[in-house]
Amino acid sequence: MITAHHKWDLSTCELLEVRCLLSAGGNIDTSFGVNGYLNGYRAEALLGGSIIAQNVLNGKQGLATPDGKHIAPYSGATPKSPPLNVQADGKYLTLANGVLTRFNPNGTIDKTFGVNGKVTSFAGSSANSVFSPSNVIVHANQIYLVGPFRVNPSDFPADQEHPAVERLTLNGSADRTFGVNGLAVDPFDGDGYLPFLYSSGYFGPDGAFYTTWSSSDDAVIARFSPAGVCDGSYHVTSNEIGDDAVSGMQFEPDGKILVLATLQAYNLSLIRLNHDMTPDATFGYRGVVAVQPSMGQVSVDGNLDPRGVLLLRADGEIIVGTSGYVPVDFTIAYRPDFPANSGAVSGRFFNDINGNRKQDSVEPGLAYWQAYADLNNNGIEDAGEPAGFADVIGNYSIKGLKPGTYIIREVRQDGWTRTTPAGAWPLGYYKVTVKANQTVTGVNFGNSNLNHAKGSISGTIFNDINGDRLQDNGEPALAGWQAYVDLNDNGVYDSGEPIATADKNGHYTITGLQQGGYVVREIRRDGWSRTTPPGDWPLGFNGVNLAAGGASTGNNFGNVHAS
């Protein structure tokens, strides 16, 4: 039974700018997006590790890379109904006006789901259903709906409303084996107040299903057993002066729980709890890191991508000077701590063009592929299994592994044939032994694609006189400067690496490139400082994920002379 109650005094908490990535211990980590901030977009869902994000102000959807540095248009969902859950086959679920709908990857309705693609029976039409569910979670081939439950939906007495979870099968029908007739209710938290904000549900390492919500200004977590029995509610906060709400929760590799909450009149905060639900004093101030804005109305939620990075989406209004309420959309992320004395596995994904099972000097890495520790050896990446996403040139690392022996596999990609490690299922994996505080290296995956069409990378090198990172009118080109593909990512041009020289307009094009991920750098000149891409080594490059036969443009370099 979860019975503990805790409050925090946020008056002495450090306030962090919202436009940032929070690292272990709550420190800013600028490796995500631009200075830790995915500008103007809020994360809605995950698709193969990439981030489906929405810009509410203009209604546009975007697909951001896992590192948050690049975003491209995405048309897989309508702006008014962003995907709440994306399945492995690309189908996605939306929830709007009490209707659960499943779409195909091309945006058409999947008529095999529910009744002509929709499920509405839970929307208060039955006494045994969740009333107006607010979130959808898909786990282990089952769909979970979180929302308030009414004993009799035809009545409206608030004292008969309780937080609840309803479980459906993947085809949209009720799963009667869960709870009572498919419904699990929290009997400990029905105090006559309709919860104003619901969050998603989460699966813990203990196999339990956790839900979060606000009830009578208390931020609450409840835990349901795998069979659908609620074994208690935990009040993260109890505040009589403002609307407290837990709106995101994730489990870290060591089992600690990270909670996202709005506390004391819209203070957006991250809270880390120990296994026994007490605050983790090693995190922030007494377990809390407060995140600006401290005033305004902010709605928040969270996703945990397979790298163990918590992506938080938010939208709402903040007070800025005398301008009044200003709309904001932002995405921040949190990199978790890893258990003490844990180890890691690292390697590289590469395009094995000639199929010789080793990465030759001209063979590029494969950007954003994923490796995972297959704990149950079923050949599928299951929720909670340690995983790592490759960077733009294919390097990956799976961290936080307790000492022991692991089977390491890759998540397969359509159109590709694995060359190393060789063998069809159940082969094609590495068996590695991890020791405390050590990293097993060289766990590489080679893959070959029959489409060997060559592509190009281009951009402009210019004199950024005013240092604004853009080539403005009157800012001249830097003819004769050179850009190259840094195949080994050592920051130095090596003989044999593809290179191009800028013409009189500063334009360069590197040709003859196979499908894969590339780091594009410029050859520096004495007396000049680079303005874009920003950052000193190992930053200051353009990361390109090049498609077969593709042409990547706009990979520009701005420089300003010291004089």
Side-chain angles (χ1 to χ4, degrees), residues 242-309:
D243 293 327
D244 290 356
V246 172
S247 50
M249 186 178 75
Q250 300 293 355
F251 291 89
E252 296 187 314
D254 61 358
K256 291 184 178 181
I257 300 174
L258 186 71
V259 176
L260 177 68
T262 51
L263 307 175
Q264 297 185 12
Y266 309 112
N267 280 293
L268 177 61
S269 302
L270 284 171
I271 302 166
R272 191 161 67 190
L273 304 174
N274 296 312
H275 305 84
D276 60 357
M277 291 291 190
T278 59
D280 177 9
T282 66
F283 180 75
Y285 179 80
R286 296 181 181 176
V288 180
V289 172
V291 184
Q292 282 281 54
S294 59
M295 299 183 69
Q297 303 178 26
V298 180
S299 172
V300 286
D301 205 345
N303 283 300
L304 184 67
D305 81 4
R307 298 168 300 163
V309 176

Side-chain angles (χ1 to χ4, degrees), residues 424-456:
W425 165 258
L427 301 177
Y429 62 85
Y430 291 98
K431 191 173 185 178
V432 300
T433 299
V434 176
K435 297 181 179 180
N437 303 313
Q438 293 184 2
T439 297
V440 180
T441 61
V443 185
N444 302 328
F445 291 90
N447 292 269
S448 180
N449 190 322
L450 295 179
N451 188 350
H452 295 311
K454 295 181 178 181
S456 64

